[in-house]
Amino acid sequence: MNIGVLALQGAFIEHEAVLRALGATVTQVRLAADLEPLDGLVIPGGESTTIGKLATNFGLMQPLRDFAQTRPTWGTCAGMIFLAKDIGIDRQPILSVMDITVNRNAFGRQIDSFEVDLPIKGLGALPFHAVFIRAPLATAAGPEVDVLARLETQQIVAARQGHLLATAFHPELTPDTRMHEYFLRLAR
Ligand code: GLN
């Protein structure tokens, strides 16, 4: 399995480490050509405005969009924002490939970051310790979207649409590798 991690900004090293530990070959993606051999792509958390700016400057927006339209792609946190069809802001470049409406910084500022044990569909009975850092959430999901996790407030924080996966939290920052294993199964 050759998994790419978009390596423009944000927590790409952490994703790379988990994926390697699970036996995947990992490619840091900075050029359109880096996408060609991949079985799947992870778009990490970070700052979605910065990732969008850099992807635009590197000529990566359309290649990333083409990739995510047909091939396994997982966005975490800022990556979830990047995948969404609608974030209620016109100025910020996003891929607009996944049928979710996402609210950026939905929980407030950096200081309002939190951790919660979250039951996630497809990961088994044990809840997943989810770390939310200035996280987004999905306020709506289209009919083709399978919601995998909601907070107690019912807000959507993990979802899948066919080959697309989105999580509002940071699974690469905890030792539990089940979310990465889930994506590798999806990419296989
Ligand atoms: N707040 C960031 C954004 O809007 C996302 C934070 C994160 O990825 N941890 O892009």
Side-chain angles (χ1 to χ4, degrees):
M1 296 283 278
N2 189 351
I3 304 294
V5 181
L6 186 63
L8 300 177
Q9 188 265 342
F12 56 89
I13 302 275
E14 290 82 355
H15 273 293
E16 189 177 334
V18 182
L19 291 164
R20 274 195 212 287
L22 292 173
T25 302
V26 180
T27 303
Q28 292 191 359
V29 172
R30 293 193 184 81
L31 304 169
D34 296 334
L35 292 166
E36 270 153 40
L38 300 180
D39 299 305
L41 174 70
V42 176
I43 303 175
E47 183 54 47
S48 59
T49 51
T50 307
I51 293 172
K53 241 176 235 163
L54 292 170
T56 303
N57 292 348
F58 283 43
L60 269 174
M61 286 304 288
Q62 197 53 45
L64 285 172
R65 196 170 285 131
D66 291 344
F67 187 95
Q69 251 148 15
T70 52
R71 290 151 80 186
T73 306
W74 175 21
T76 59
C77 204
M80 173 175 179
I81 298 166
F82 211 53
L83 288 181
K85 274 234 163 91
D86 182 8
I87 59 168
I89 308 163
D90 289 337
R91 283 171 290 119
Q92 184 180 335
I94 53 170
L95 299 182
S96 301
V97 290
M98 188 168 176
D99 196 7
I100 49 175
T101 303
V102 168
N103 193 355
R104 286 185 62 204
N105 303 325
F107 304 95
R109 299 160 64 93
Q110 198 78 12
I111 196 168
D112 300 308
S113 297
F114 62 97
E115 303 183 12
V116 69
D117 288 324
L118 197 65
I120 300 179
K121 187 176 165 185
L123 293 198
L126 208 66
F128 189 91
H129 190 72
V131 178
F132 291 82
I133 303 171
R134 215 154 64 83
L137 62 79
T139 52
E144 277 160 39
V145 177
D146 188 11
V147 172
L148 304 181
R150 293 179 189 265
L151 295 175
E152 278 179 358
T153 50
Q154 294 309 305
Q155 293 153 319
I156 299 165
V157 289
R160 174 180 174 178
Q161 181 183 345
H163 62 285
L164 298 172
L165 180 65
T167 53
F169 48 90
H170 281 265
E172 77 288 6
L173 298 183
T174 45
D176 191 336
T177 58
R178 284 179 294 158
M179 208 66 235
H180 286 79
E181 290 166 46
Y182 183 100
F183 181 64
L184 290 178
R185 281 199 299 277
L186 194 154
R188 198 170 287 132

